[in-house]
Amino acid sequence: MNGIQEVGGSIPLGSTKYRQATRPDIAIYIKDLEGGGVQRQRLNLAKAFASRGRRVDIVVGCASGSLASEVPDGVGLWELAPVSRWRARWSVINASFGAWPATMAGVALNRKPARAFCYLSALADYLRRVSPRSLLCGAPTQNLMVCLARRAARVECPLVLSEHNDFSGGHELDDGSKGQAIRAMSRILYGDAVALVAVSEGVADDMVRRLGIERSRIRVIHQPAIGADVADRALRPLSHPWFEAGQPPVLLSAGRFAERKDFPTLIRAFATVRQKRPCRLVILGDAGSADDGTARETAYRELAKELDCAEDFDLPGYDPNPFRYMSRAAVFVLPSRHEGMPNVLAEAMAVGCPVVSTDCPSGPREILDHGRFGALVPVGDVEAMAAAISGTLDATPDRERLRQRSKILAADRSAALYEELLLPLASSGPTAGHRRAVNRP
């Protein structure tokens, strides 16, 4: 039988005792607990929900990862067991009543269906046995999997689906046969949701354009990027020698080593600034599991050598606490070609770090209020980025003003807005008795 390991003992999954003690008001599905932006946002949201008296479960495909230690006490943690891609294919087909043509194109006939669908059966089992009062999810293939799992479970659990990225420039819903299939499935399955959430006005507009969804169905709720513990985390020790007193100013950026982040433009802009004044560049992040990410890391180092700035360029890797870097950096720079609603801008502003960003779709313009809170430069424009960095170094903005602006992405604010959608659905009972659990079917 499937089982769940709890503090204090083992109780069979679906046990009456467990369901009565801990039936969650809100379940949040996340693919894993690695250090991605969506994962951090969902953890921030879970913490905010719990602090507001909600019972919360986090349901993941993989419970290990750099953020595993940040799942708070009082929030249930469930780990789903995947099946093979072939078994996932049949799970999708069996769950797809009402969506057959699109599902056949998107999954059943796909030689290698998205790994997200390998968790469909286990999530359906969770929904049947634990019966959460509502379920949140984000990202296209994960949203589709959750919709199909709910159909397979034959439950009435209300769904709230969110989108976090602009649907262009390499997004899963971009052009191509895979994107066309996912869009076709989305147009049908997103109708199962009681609410659709976009993290920015730009993402909402893209959902209308790409998926044909009525704009009135979409609610814009900014990401829960800023948790209550930001100030404390910013003060924690940092051993990197470049951030010690008396050192040259450090330019900082952060993100996965993906093409859309466009770190080469930042490295070139840094080399230009460095020709005129002492400074250094640190990029937090890693290649992830993708081979092309590893190749990009090598390319970044080679580019720095080519531009003769390698001695002042560092890639220290991913850090689950970027705030201690941001609070000590001179400028945070976002060079992206496209985003949904970039957390890192608000995170840097939350600790008073000045920011420079590309005016990419979408998000930076909303966060920076058309440039009032930080310079916006054209995508891929090295000279404009270098000039904006130099200008920011010359005239540091009011740091407290930046902190106040960052609150538009505060986790508690996002939680309150989500609750406006969920109040008719979720119980407002206390969290007492909701013990942390890890389910490993």
Side-chain angles (χ1 to χ4, degrees):
M1 174 181 284
N2 289 345
I4 138 179
Q5 285 300 126
E6 287 193 296
V7 177
S10 178
I11 301 175
L13 177 59
S15 159
T16 301
K17 176 180 177 183
Y18 179 75
R19 289 179 61 169
Q20 290 178 347
T22 64
R23 182 187 181 195
D25 299 314
I26 303 165
I28 302 174
Y29 179 76
I30 315 173
K31 67 174 183 176
D32 57 42
L33 293 176
E34 295 296 340
V38 173
Q39 291 92 324
R40 289 199 304 272
Q41 297 156 28
R42 290 315 192 199
L43 287 174
N44 285 340
L45 196 57
K47 294 173 187 177
F49 281 141
S51 70
R52 298 168 70 87
R54 301 292 176 184
R55 297 187 180 98
V56 184
D57 271 358
I58 292 177
V59 185
V60 297
C62 178
S64 60
S66 57
L67 296 176
S69 62
E70 297 192 25
V71 177
D73 292 334
V75 171
L77 177 62
W78 293 72
E79 183 178 51
L80 304 179
V83 298
S84 70
R85 292 183 190 269
W86 282 104
R87 288 186 62 188
R89 190 190 310 272
W90 287 112
S91 297
V92 170
I93 293 173
N94 290 334
S96 296
F97 46 92
W100 266 96
T103 300
M104 289 295 289
V107 178
L109 300 181
N110 192 321
R111 184 180 63 84
K112 191 176 182 181
R115 181 163 176 78
F117 295 109
C118 296
Y119 297 99
L120 192 160
S121 297
L123 181 59
D125 192 47
Y126 167 85
L127 294 174
R128 279 191 297 265
R129 297 175 180 233
V130 177
S131 188
R133 291 184 172 90
S134 61
L135 177 62
L136 304 182
C137 185
T141 52
Q142 294 170 47
N143 283 340
L144 297 177
M145 187 277 289
V146 165
C147 288
L148 290 171
R150 178 179 175 273
R151 290 187 177 206
R154 307 292 201 275
V155 297
E156 295 301 320
C157 176
L159 300 179
V160 175
L161 306 178
S162 65
E163 284 292 351
H164 294 251
N165 287 297
D166 181 86
F167 298 162
S168 59
H171 188 279
E172 289 177 279
L173 299 186
D174 199 7
D175 295 331
S177 58
K178 179 181 178 181
Q180 291 173 4
I182 292 176
R183 289 198 301 275
M185 292 177 68
S186 300
R187 291 186 186 105
I188 297 172
L189 295 176
Y190 277 27
D192 292 355
V194 298
L196 299 173
V197 173
V199 298
S200 69
E201 295 291 344
V203 169
D205 292 342
D206 262 3
M207 291 175 70
V208 172
R209 183 172 66 252
R210 294 285 181 132
L211 302 182
I213 297 171
E214 292 183 9
R215 184 62 176 80
S216 60
R217 287 199 63 209
I218 304 171
R219 175 78 177 273
V220 174
I221 301 179
H222 292 154
Q223 296 175 158
I226 311 303
D229 60 348
V230 165
D232 174 67
R233 296 177 69 185
L235 293 175
R236 292 177 188 172
L238 177 62
S239 60
H240 198 297
W242 290 2
F243 292 88
E244 294 176 358
Q247 295 296 312
V250 177
L251 314 181
L252 180 68
S253 193
R256 294 274 185 176
F257 296 161
E259 183 178 3
R260 68 186 180 92
K261 297 297 184 181
D262 197 12
F263 290 127
T265 290
L266 172 57
I267 296 169
R268 291 186 174 94
F270 159 64
T272 299
V273 174
R274 183 175 171 274
Q275 290 175 355
K276 301 177 181 179
R277 66 200 309 159
C279 60
R280 287 164 169 162
L281 173 62
V282 171
I283 301 177
L284 298 176
D286 56 36
S289 59
D291 292 338
D292 56 351
T294 302
R296 288 193 184 98
E297 179 177 353
T298 301
Y300 300 158
R301 296 185 187 278
E302 290 300 321
L303 178 59
K305 290 179 182 178
E306 178 185 325
L307 297 171
D308 196 27
C309 61
E311 65 185 37
D312 289 323
F313 173 60
D314 192 24
L315 298 170
Y318 170 78
D319 192 304
N321 181 12
F323 300 103
R324 56 184 183 159
Y325 288 85
M326 293 170 172
S327 64
R328 295 166 171 86
V331 183
F332 183 90
V333 186
L334 182 81
S336 298
R337 296 178 182 177
H338 60 91
E339 291 281 351
M341 192 66 165
N343 289 347
V344 287
L345 276 184
E347 289 172 347
M349 294 164 68
V351 296
C353 182
V355 295
V356 169
S357 176
T358 53
D359 191 14
C360 67
S362 59
R365 181 173 286 264
E366 291 178 44
I367 294 174
L368 301 181
D369 191 16
H370 302 265
R372 290 183 58 232
F373 293 90
L376 290 167
V377 301
V379 172
D381 191 326
V382 173
E383 294 303 320
M385 184 175 292
I389 292 169
S390 294
T392 304
L393 289 171
D394 289 336
T396 302
D398 184 335
R399 295 179 184 272
E400 182 56 32
R401 185 168 174 264
L402 297 177
R403 294 187 186 97
Q404 292 301 315
R405 177 62 179 176
S406 74
K407 291 180 180 179
I408 65 169
L409 269 70
D412 193 62
R413 181 177 185 272
S414 295
L417 293 172
Y418 270 106
E419 282 188 342
E420 290 181 10
L421 299 176
L422 297 166
L423 274 174
L425 314 174
S427 165
S428 58
T431 57
H434 187 44
R435 296 175 291 169
R436 179 170 175 174
V438 177
N439 171 48
R440 290 186 172 87

